[in-house]
Amino acid sequence: YGADKVSVSFRKLSQVDRAICEDADMHGFLKIVYQTKTKQILGATIMAPSAGELISEIAVAKESKLSFDKLSTVMHAYPSYSIALQQMAAEVYYDKLKNSKKLYDVLKKIGL
């Protein structure tokens, strides 16, 4: 793959609202590794009280070839640990939109 072809999304458990509500151990984290170009999930590491439930969502997304940014369009309960996955995916989705804006501006100028 190579370092420029792989990206990592990382969130500390101390940034997850559900963990804060439950006064959980804040030393955990969620890390998703995905291909930079296609956003396909390559793997994940989850150190959290609900790691079993969270990793199953990642496994289903990976097996069904759902790109990481598409997880942002899936409904998640709030506050929950899984909302962190949606928020992480949304950050990737918004970055993708920002990169597409240049193309959109060019197409708009030529009337498409």
Side-chain angles (χ1 to χ4, degrees):
Y1 287 98
D4 60 332
K5 296 187 179 185
V6 175
S7 296
V8 176
S9 182
F10 184 88
R11 180 159 298 205
K12 293 179 183 179
L13 205 54
S14 61
Q15 297 171 302
V16 178
D17 292 345
R18 182 59 182 226
I20 295 167
C21 289
E22 290 183 350
D23 198 26
D25 181 7
M26 297 296 174
H27 293 95
F29 64 89
L30 295 87
K31 179 173 77 170
I32 312 299
V33 180
Y34 60 94
Q35 289 181 348
T36 302
K37 185 175 182 179
T38 65
K39 312 296 187 242
Q40 291 301 308
I41 298 169
L42 300 172
T45 302
I46 300 174
M47 300 295 292
S50 62
E53 290 90 15
L54 294 172
I55 202 67
S56 64
E57 180 174 349
I58 294 298
V60 168
K62 185 178 183 318
E63 183 64 27
S64 64
K65 308 260 188 266
L66 183 70
S67 60
F68 181 47
D69 60 316
K70 295 289 185 190
L71 276 181
S72 66
T73 65
V74 177
M75 292 294 264
H76 289 79
Y78 179 84
S80 66
Y81 284 98
S82 66
I83 195 79
L85 293 175
Q86 184 181 27
Q87 292 167 340
M88 292 165 70
E91 289 171 3
V92 173
Y93 179 75
Y94 292 136
D95 286 343
K96 185 177 168 181
L97 285 179
K98 281 190 261 180
N99 294 336
S100 299
K101 185 174 180 341
K102 294 173 190 168
L103 175 61
Y104 173 76
D105 290 342
V106 169
L107 293 173
K108 187 176 176 182
K109 280 184 182 180
I110 62 173
L112 295 178

